[in-house]
Amino acid sequence: MASSSHRRPRPERRTRRVPVVTVVAVAAVALVVSLVVAFRPDGGSETGADGGARTVEPAAGSGVSGSPTATGATGSPSPKPKPSTASPSATAGRASTPAATPAGKSGSSSGRSAAPAARTASGAAPSAGRIAPGTSYRGVATSYDAGDGNGACSYGPTSDVMTAAMNTADYETSKACGAYVLVRAGSGASITVRITNECPAPCEVGQLDLSRQAFAKLAPLSAGRIPVTWSLLSPATSDTVSIRYKTGSTQYWCGIQAIGHRNPLARLEVRTSAGWTRLARTDYNYFLSEQGTGCGGALRLTDIYGEQLTVEGIAVRADVVQSTRVQFARH
């Protein structure tokens, strides 16, 4: 507002008398006009650009924040005994890391999370993780030199060449270890492999790094990288589950490993005076009892379908494979 020194002087107000009758007539007309306006059907509403009445309402969703953005793990995987390394031809020129996609679904849908939920029959596998039965996943297959067959799952050397390394996301802190997976190529060729290793980045979500012998059953090694679909199996087997205590295990500290289970293992527990205690799982496929709780006692194994096997009489004998003579049911 301007200061008083810059104000223009008001013009002198001149008044004149108006007859009383005139004033009364004007007031009456004004009253009639105001009543007409007040009782119009659209009286008091806001008028839009097209001349029609428009009611102003609050914006939908006001005050609600947007959904958070899903982020993946950014830490580097812990060192493994022998992680696989995808062949150079398999990773060269990779522009992005696509999400694992259940077969039959397009991978180009916007807004899909990095790890789509598996579609399983109700109650089929209550303890299943990222890899669920009854679901066909789409990904790629590469190959690597499996050497003596040992890998991140710590099973040790093996003569079985039909093996594979699972990408870190689907490896899921060794939960994929021991899983049997049916892999199908676009040509129609298929092969069953057992997961014995982990394939860290640049392996993608959904990717399987097959032993060279297994890859050759699907395509020439020169292909380097091929699209595949894969799914979890619960195979027929005559093997039974075995238990191995980790090197250095005693009654005061121990690491326990299950070997030869038909279905992926969901958890391992030890029996204590307070009941069953679940042990923490490592990414090298051992369950640790840091304080020695339950070492040398009864064990309880649970597969992803919820079946439980109780094992007695397994003594703490480091690095010795001990048979249990029990096995999970086939599904």
Side-chain angles (χ1 to χ4, degrees):
M1 180 179 293
S3 63
S4 57
S5 60
H6 292 283
R7 289 178 181 170
R8 297 177 61 184
R10 288 184 179 179
E12 184 180 353
R13 179 179 299 175
R14 296 182 180 181
T15 59
R16 65 176 181 175
R17 297 178 181 178
V18 180
V20 175
V21 176
T22 304
V23 173
V24 173
V26 172
V29 172
L31 177 60
V32 172
V33 172
S34 63
L35 290 175
V36 171
V37 172
F39 286 97
R40 285 174 58 191
D42 60 345
S45 65
E46 186 177 344
T47 302
D50 57 358
R54 178 166 60 89
T55 302
V56 179
E57 297 179 352
S62 60
V64 180
S65 61
S67 59
T69 302
T71 56
T74 57
S76 300
S78 302
K80 306 297 184 297
K82 186 178 176 62
S84 75
T85 302
S87 58
S89 60
T91 58
R94 181 174 299 134
S96 61
T97 302
T101 307
K105 296 289 185 179
S106 171
S108 61
S109 300
S110 60
R112 177 174 295 149
S113 62
R119 299 165 295 163
T120 60
S122 176
S127 298
R130 290 178 58 89
I131 304 173
T135 301
S136 182
Y137 295 94
R138 180 178 289 118
V140 296
T142 49
S143 67
Y144 80 107
D145 181 2
D148 62 3
N150 195 12
C153 293
S154 305
Y155 289 136
T158 177
S159 59
D160 181 10
V161 294
M162 295 297 110
T163 59
M166 183 65 74
N167 66 85
T168 296
D170 295 321
Y171 182 78
E172 201 174 2
T173 316
S174 78
K175 195 168 186 176
C177 285
Y180 289 88
V181 174
L182 175 64
V183 187
R184 294 184 183 276
S187 63
S190 64
I191 185 67
T192 297
V193 295
R194 187 168 69 105
I195 304 303
T196 60
N197 208 347
E198 177 187 6
C199 186
C203 270
E204 307 165 347
V205 176
Q207 182 172 347
L208 291 172
D209 204 21
L210 307 177
S211 67
R212 290 180 179 175
Q213 296 88 336
F215 188 94
K217 299 286 186 180
L218 302 178
L221 290 176
S222 59
R225 174 186 177 94
I226 60 173
V228 294
T229 58
W230 53 272
S231 56
L232 184 66
L233 293 180
S234 179
T237 178
S238 59
D239 292 340
T240 58
V241 179
S242 296
I243 298 296
R244 177 165 54 193
Y245 278 92
K246 194 177 188 307
T247 302
S249 292
T250 67
Q251 60 179 320
Y252 305 107
W253 178 95
C254 66
I256 309 172
Q257 181 186 57
I259 305 171
H261 40 86
R262 185 199 311 267
N263 307 317
L265 196 63
R267 61 182 179 271
L268 186 150
E269 300 164 286
V270 294
R271 187 161 59 197
T272 68
S273 58
W276 291 104
T277 299
R278 183 174 182 173
L279 298 185
R281 190 173 201 160
T282 67
D283 56 1
Y284 53 89
N285 198 32
Y286 273 89
F287 295 81
L288 297 186
S289 178
E290 299 282 3
Q291 306 302 321
T293 302
C295 295
L299 308 175
R300 186 166 71 178
L301 312 178
T302 305
D303 71 2
I304 64 170
Y305 296 94
E307 182 182 359
Q308 295 182 328
L309 303 176
T310 300
V311 181
E312 306 271 1
I314 303 296
V316 180
R317 299 172 61 193
D319 205 27
V320 175
V321 177
Q322 303 181 63
S323 176
T324 66
R325 295 184 295 180
V326 295
Q327 181 60 274
F328 292 111
R330 188 179 183 189
H331 292 265

